[in-house]
Amino acid sequence: MPFRIRDAVPDASNTDAKFITAAFDSCIPHLATIGSASPWGTDSLSSVRPNLIDRYIAAVADAERYRLTSSGPPVRVLIADARLPSGEYLPVGAATLRGGYISKYVLEQKHLQDVTSRGLAGEEGGLMFLETLVTDFSEATREYRKGAAAALVKYKREWVGTELGMSVIYLDCWAGNEGKLFKYVTFLE
């Protein structure tokens, strides 16, 4: 299915930030059924991390500021929309990319220090961190979501490599569950 990839938009209702938060909550039961609940647990993320929505409201605002001014480290919050038979669009996936940023727990991994020290985002050959990649597992998206993550990864590769000229896109994923997530992410790259 072809997807429309668009920038998340800040609005008074925080529609896109709410979608991202709901997508995280919707995938928790799915992850539990395939043996991948260990890093996230079985409770909805928004109940365990009540500030999760605030994190994505801020990310959408940061991305909009970068889109309008092109100043500071590059930030994008992308939404993958599936086109419904009615012609309307339904959000089915999201990705957050941050230049000049790597999460603290990743930076603390000694075996990754050569990768994380390659440069700051925005500089030639810099590093971009794919902070979020999530697909909505709600019933409403069941027949429309397949391929959304791959479409988001393809889009981010074009933006980071072609438009920004960066040579490294870093993402981290859980290695448990016999490495199934890692194999999937490797396939996407």
Side-chain angles (χ1 to χ4, degrees), residues 73-183:
V75 179
R76 293 283 294 271
V77 178
L78 302 171
I79 304 291
D81 290 328
R83 187 174 180 147
L84 302 176
S86 66
E88 295 179 327
Y89 286 95
L90 176 69
V92 294
T96 304
L97 300 115
R98 290 189 180 272
Y101 168 84
I102 298 177
S103 61
K104 182 180 177 186
Y105 71 91
V106 173
L107 289 171
E108 292 171 346
Q109 305 299 312
K110 292 186 188 316
H111 66 284
L112 297 176
Q113 288 179 349
D114 65 322
V115 174
T116 59
S117 64
R118 287 193 186 175
L120 297 174
E123 295 177 7
E124 189 68 20
L127 184 140
M128 178 65 67
F129 186 65
L130 176 59
E131 181 180 33
T132 302
L133 181 61
V134 64
T135 303
D136 183 359
F137 272 80
S138 68
E139 189 60 34
T141 66
R142 176 181 292 276
E143 63 186 276
Y144 305 107
R145 68 176 167 252
K146 185 174 179 148
L152 286 160
V153 169
K154 180 181 178 200
Y155 187 93
K156 64 96 180 155
R157 286 180 79 189
E158 292 169 3
W159 177 63
V160 171
T162 305
E163 292 184 39
L164 297 178
M166 299 173 116
S167 61
V168 178
I169 302 169
Y170 185 83
L171 61 107
D172 76 298
C173 65
W174 183 55
N177 195 21
E178 300 171 7
K180 290 179 184 174
L181 181 58
F182 178 76
K183 290 174 188 170

Side-chain angles (χ1 to χ4, degrees), residues 2-87:
F3 295 94
R4 174 181 74 174
I5 307 297
R6 63 175 175 83
D7 287 292
V9 178
D11 63 18
S13 300
N14 298 310
T15 306
D16 288 332
K18 287 178 180 175
F19 163 72
I20 297 167
T21 304
F24 270 110
D25 285 345
S26 75
C27 67
I28 296 298
H30 168 73
L31 292 171
T33 65
I34 63 169
S36 294
S38 179
W40 302 280
T42 55
D43 295 327
S44 70
L45 281 185
S46 61
S47 67
V48 176
R49 300 177 187 169
N51 64 341
L52 188 64
I53 184 73
D54 297 330
R55 177 179 174 181
Y56 288 103
I57 291 170
V60 170
D62 291 347
E64 181 71 359
R65 191 169 23 265
Y66 177 78
R67 188 184 71 77
L68 294 174
T69 66
S70 295
S71 63
V75 179
R76 293 283 294 271
V77 178
L78 302 171
I79 304 291
D81 290 328
R83 187 174 180 147
L84 302 176
S86 66

